[in-house]
């Protein structure tokens, strides 16, 4: 099918996802032994782009990038922390949620990707609690609305101040004609298990609920008068910390990424992104380890953030965020690797056998999160398995995450992939199955067989084992890949997004995957509806004197 | 919030959902002992509304209404049938899927509701196979594209003719910039468990796959040359029939519904719908049984389609379809019942104790399907539990399906609801849990406690048991309900649709619920995107000389 080429190009300034505590504008991190204080104090005059003010501790992507960084650093740099208290840094306000004027003035694509990133940030809080022994306690010192309450919902426990005024609320539907898009609806009924009819009432009462009733309905865990609030929070945090196992006393510093952005290329130490905007296609190459691996856990710790798997996947994570937000016309990512397969397999052996080491465990979890971000990236993913590549174990996950994979079969230039123990379940997808198990839903014995005999596979062998999609010889390979990419890039990006989101997650859904499946998809739909974003839509007119006008036809 | 009132009104002619085999235009039903032949032979000059031709056995809602009726009648009227062969009535074509010109010229709301109805029809095929011992065999005698293949996917097995030409395909994404919206993507990977990367390739190849490869990839179960096709289908159908248990030899006729449609009212024997279009609100009242119940299964059989639960829920089912398609400005349905609670409880006892009787079982299944249609109806549902009502067991499900329920507490005019064994699991939601279990996800002991002691509950008792949302005394009740309805009807219908879809299904998702959650939500989104339905969208331009033009920005 011939199709016209859109002439739209990126207009907004580039957004960077890297930050560090000494550069935070909106959050403060303070430490008190096993307890950390993560305090939101948004500078209203410092939005990510001009045009709106971040009033009432409302947030935009810039605020959330700092939060994401703080959560990440707490895990790596402060393993001694076992409870994180999240609170608001202004009197009588915890957080008013995502900034409405920012949302109202953003493109559809930006809104969707902003919500996706904030969703991932909330999930990383839950991941830190479940897997790094860092409990999160939301200390709601004041008003907590919309995305503010969704942030609280991501925490293990919620304590709400009882001052006759402070309430929790999800006013999106009644006030803005959109959904609480950061997991709120799903967490309400699936995580906190609030009765669905009570949830229905709660979500339509713009002013929300406070006091005893908020606790009775299960919206918060405790309600405490102002006079005892600080003390109650502290005491509960101490209990939570005491109940969590001590991991380590000294952390590993997350050093700055080595990143160079050029017009059509981003270069990191272990990752390169090449952009072909005309073809709407990027090539993302992850290079395998090049140095002799450390001898043991101490050696790994000595390398710290420079240890290859952590360094490479931090870069990959940054590259994915970058592509999502800054390069929205790139429709397809070619996933490549370069390096020695044996070295990747050797790293995997360390990742496997040293899993009890807290730092190695953190690195595994970080890789898992990055791979989930890849699964949830709304771009077509083709893995290209070519001579010089090193798709083994942890890096094989890139090919397993791809929508399809192509492998060259040329006896002159042999190439192999390798299955390792790390493909077994170290890197679970959002719906809590490994990519290997999701791949072989129709052949449930297969993953066990493959994992029981971890080894390398040549092209035909890999094809027979079902590990790659298409194998082509040297005469056909280049043309086949080129044509497949051209075809893919010519299709409707929206249909591809929906198709990929539907095919990538075979099997039962859980709370996490429902957030990205059911809820996000509905939110995307609503974010386009005239009732929200049209001239007379509620989101458009929020804060203006005019009242929204709705087309009341139900779909 | 004050909001303007849309002046849009219904413009299309009313669509009726009742039909019968002697009035079918597009399907033929023939019987051969335990095997039925359900043959699609669409009359291209008889679309549901003028403006398009149903070429190549493509379908519109009219075609699917007949299919739905045929599946339903096979279950009730022909219990002797144990295998249904679905095939195409034209040479070299099975079915080309949903008619594109119909889709292209439909409103967004109609498209979404059309897909929802066809989805429910496909699920009723799977329900007949799983619970009524009627296996479905798709005999693909020719081209099978899009919705045609999705129909085949709903069958137990698929045999494809091998004539060097006939293929199965899902060309929606490459040709139309939309998704296969009738469960295709989900069934491909979740039901048939086709490997996700192969599914990715398949869904982007417009011409589809045929022959050996279609079988290898798991897209079909058998591929048979033209010369042996008929024989192979027959022989497989006989095997499927033989493997399924004999239920009964004589069926129960589904007599015509007693339905009178007036401008603002629909009157059935046991159901009344009153429409208040100005308030965008309907009142749906189900009346309980009024006659002395039959003594036993023979007595029930003698009543046949007149037996209260079957009659009432067939009417309710028809009323829901009617409201969805013909009354799109009605945003809220007040669910009411009228009658004697004891009589409902007595019917429930028969539904419970006679579950082994094939006909009673069919009635239970029909009630379950109707209740699932209610769960999936994109309108706010408020149950009003008032004096004279009979929300017991089977009818209590209406209140449990509602987004919330209000119960009057007036000692002068007492009202009770009742839990019966039928609330335990006879009527599973799409995601395979009972409404009682979904309601008490946060208190998993509760359903067992309630079911262990089935009884009636007065208002305070019902509130304490968590069975109703809000109880109000006679001074407050009327105002509270009125204000709640007015408020609800003032909110954005789109946000409500997304919110209700997110709150109604707490817990893990399965294949069925993913079709309505993940897939349908994505499809709704895509059905709005300019790339599909805009001036230069692929759906708009399908069959026209112009080529679509896409905005390639990814979201």
């Amino acid at each position: 099918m011939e199709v016209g080429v859109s002439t739209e190009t990126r207009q907004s300034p580039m957004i960077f996802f890297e930050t560090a505590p000494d550069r935070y504008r909106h959050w403060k991190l303070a430490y008190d032994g096993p307890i950390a204080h993560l305090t939101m104090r948004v500078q209203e005059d410092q939005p990510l782009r001009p045009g709106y003010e971040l009033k009432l501790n409302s947030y935009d992507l810039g605020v959330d990038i700092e939060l994401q960084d703080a959560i990440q650093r707490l895990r790596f740099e402060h393993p001694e922390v076992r409870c994180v208290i999240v609170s608001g840094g202004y009197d009588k306000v915890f957080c008013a949620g995502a900034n409405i004027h920012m949302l109202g003035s953003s493109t559809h694509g930006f809104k969707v990707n902003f919500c996706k990133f904030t969703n991932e940030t909330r999930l990383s809080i839950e991941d830190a609690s479940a897997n790094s022994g860092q409990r999160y306690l939301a200390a709601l010192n004041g008003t907590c609305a919309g995305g503010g309450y969704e942030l609280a919902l991501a925490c293990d426990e919620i304590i709400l101040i009882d001052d006759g005024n402070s309430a929790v609320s999800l006013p999106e539907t009644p006030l803005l004609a959109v959904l609480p898009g950061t997991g709120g609806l799903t967490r309400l009924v699936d995580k906190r298990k609030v009765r669905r009819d009570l949830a229905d009432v709660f979500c339509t009462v713009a002013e929300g609920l406070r006091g005893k009733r908020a606790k009775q309905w299960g919206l918060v865990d405790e309600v405490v008068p102002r006079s005892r609030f600080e003390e109650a929070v502290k005491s509960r945090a101490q209990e939570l910390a005491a109940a969590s196992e001590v991991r380590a006393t000294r952390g590993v510093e997350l050093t700055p990424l080595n990143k160079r952005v050029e017009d059509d290329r981003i270069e990191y130490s272990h990752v390169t992104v090449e952009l072909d905007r005309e073809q709407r296609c990027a090539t993302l190459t992850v290079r395998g380890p090049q140095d002799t691996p450390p001898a043991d856990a101490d050696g790994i710790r000595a390398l710290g953030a420079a240890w290859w798997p952590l360094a490479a996947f931090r870069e990959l994570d940054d590259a994915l965020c970058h592509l999502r937000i800054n390069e929205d016309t790139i429709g397809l990512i070619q996933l490549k690797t370069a390096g020695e397969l044996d070295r990747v397999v050797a790293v995997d052996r360390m990742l496997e056998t040293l899993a009890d080491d807290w730092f190695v465990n953190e690195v595994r979890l970080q890789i898992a999160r990055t791979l989930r971000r890849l699964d949830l990236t709304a771009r077509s993913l083709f893995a290209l398995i070519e001579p010089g590549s090193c798709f083994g174990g942890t890096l094989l996950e890139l090919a397993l995450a791809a929508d399809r994979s192509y492998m060259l079969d040329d006896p002159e230039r042999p190439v192999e992939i390798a299955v390792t123990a790390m493909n077994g379940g170290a890197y679970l997808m959002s719906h809590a199955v490994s990519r290997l198990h999701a791949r072989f839903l129709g052949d449930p014995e297969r993953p066990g067989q493959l994992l029981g005999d971890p080894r390398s596979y040549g092209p035909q062998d890999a094809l027979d084992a079902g590990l790659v999609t298409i194998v082509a010889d040297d005469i056909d390979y280049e043309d086949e890949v080129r044509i497949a990419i051209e075809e893919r890039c010519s299709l409707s990006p929206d249909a591809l997004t929906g198709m990929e989101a539907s095919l990538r997650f075979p099997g039962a859904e859980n709370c996490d995957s429902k957030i990205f499946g059911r809820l996000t998809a509905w939110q995307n739909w609503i974010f386009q509806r005239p009732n929200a974003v049209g001239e007379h839509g509620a989101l458009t007119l929020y804060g203006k004197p005019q009242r929204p006008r709705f087309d009341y036809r139900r779909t």
Side-chain angles (χ1 to χ4, degrees), chain A residues 356-374:
Chain A
D356 288 341
D357 179 84
W358 79 269
F359 176 62
V360 173
N361 183 49
E362 275 309 327
V363 173
R364 289 166 56 126
L365 294 167
Q366 206 273 336
I367 295 172
R369 287 195 298 284
T370 303
L371 289 167
R372 284 196 288 272
R373 208 190 293 275
L374 182 62

Side-chain angles (χ1 to χ4, degrees), chain A residues 416-427:
Chain A
E416 290 191 326
I417 61 173
V419 171
T420 75
M422 295 309 288
N423 301 117
Y427 310 128

Side-chain angles (χ1 to χ4, degrees), chain A residues 174-197:
Chain A
L175 285 190
L176 306 168
V178 300
L179 299 187
T182 316
L185 297 178
T186 307
R187 283 205 180 81
L188 207 55
V189 292
D190 272 43
K191 180 184 181 181
R192 291 196 68 89
K193 299 181 170 58
V194 171
R195 231 174 62 206
R196 48 163 286 216
D197 58 337

Side-chain angles (χ1 to χ4, degrees), chain A residues 409-458:
Chain A
D409 184 7
D410 178 0
E412 303 286 308
R413 297 181 296 159
V415 55
E416 290 191 326
I417 61 173
V419 171
T420 75
M422 295 309 288
N423 301 117
Y427 310 128
L428 295 182
M429 300 177 69
S430 297
H431 60 325
V433 294
S434 74
R435 282 171 199 79
L436 213 52
H437 286 86
R439 186 177 188 82
F440 294 113
L441 204 62
D443 185 0
E445 306 290 312
R446 186 77 66 95
Q449 290 160 4
L450 294 167
L451 293 163
D453 176 26
R455 61 179 180 85
S456 303
Y457 293 79

Side-chain angles (χ1 to χ4, degrees), chain A residues 7-269:
Chain A
T7 53
E8 296 270 1
T9 51
R10 183 167 50 75
Q11 287 165 350
S12 7
M14 199 168 278
I15 291 169
F16 289 91
F17 289 81
E18 203 185 2
T19 185
D22 59 0
R23 286 154 52 199
Y24 291 175
R25 300 167 175 193
H26 308 297
W27 292 89
K28 284 193 203 317
L29 250 176
Y31 303 93
D32 180 10
I35 294 171
H37 295 265
L38 182 53
T39 308
M40 186 177 198
R41 195 178 157 87
V42 176
Q43 301 305 306
E44 69 175 55
D45 58 350
Q46 300 201 29
L48 191 60
R49 57 175 166 79
Y52 53 88
E53 289 184 338
L54 295 172
K55 289 190 176 162
L56 285 173
N57 246 12
S58 63
Y59 61 84
D60 66 0
L61 182 59
V63 177
D64 219 64
I65 286 171
E66 293 182 6
L67 174 59
Q68 167 66 24
D69 183 76
I71 297 162
Q72 183 84 335
R73 286 185 194 274
L74 279 162
R75 299 175 78 160
F76 280 101
E77 302 186 349
H78 293 277
E80 79 283 4
V81 168
R82 282 168 283 145
C83 182
V84 182
I85 299 171
V86 184
S87 62
Y90 295 106
D91 193 34
K92 294 185 185 163
V93 59
F94 174 73
C95 167
N99 187 275
I100 309 308
H101 301 288
M102 176 278 293
L103 281 176
S105 59
S106 297
T107 63
H108 179 70
F110 184 86
K111 274 198 283 284
V112 168
N113 275 292
F114 165 72
C115 286
K116 189 178 280 188
F117 184 83
T118 57
N119 267 321
E120 290 168 324
T121 304
R122 307 301 170 272
L123 286 170
S124 79
I125 289 177
E126 294 176 327
D127 189 51
S129 171
N131 299 310
S132 300
Q134 293 185 331
R135 307 279 173 259
Y136 275 73
L137 177 60
L140 311 185
N141 57 302
T143 305
C144 176
Y149 182 53
E150 291 181 295
L151 173 58
L153 284 169
C155 296
D156 293 281
E157 293 189 14
I158 307 174
I159 302 184
L160 171 64
I161 197 165
D162 190 2
D163 57 4
N165 187 46
S166 296
V168 295
S169 64
L170 290 176
E172 286 85 344
T173 297
L175 285 190
L176 306 168
V178 300
L179 299 187
T182 316
L185 297 178
T186 307
R187 283 205 180 81
L188 207 55
V189 292
D190 272 43
K191 180 184 181 181
R192 291 196 68 89
K193 299 181 170 58
V194 171
R195 231 174 62 206
R196 48 163 286 216
D197 58 337
L198 301 177
D200 179 87
V201 174
F202 173 62
C203 294
T204 54
V205 175
E207 65 274 21
L209 291 183
R210 55 191 165 80
K212 231 180 268 179
R213 189 177 261 197
K215 185 179 173 187
Q216 255 174 11
W217 286 24
L219 303 170
V220 304
D221 296 288
E222 288 301 334
V223 179
V224 181
R226 178 174 284 275
S227 58
R228 291 197 292 106
F229 185 71
E230 212 168 314
E231 177 204 322
V233 168
K234 191 177 170 188
S235 136
R236 186 60 192 142
Q238 281 166 342
E239 285 169 19
L240 287 171
S244 182
E245 217 173 307
V246 178
R247 288 194 302 158
T249 49
R250 253 191 76 206
V252 170
E253 193 196 341
L254 294 177
T255 50
L257 297 180
N258 174 18
K259 178 182 183 183
R260 208 175 62 236
V261 180
E262 296 166 15
D263 181 46
D264 55 0
R265 189 184 181 87
I266 312 162
E267 194 72 61
Y268 302 87
S269 296

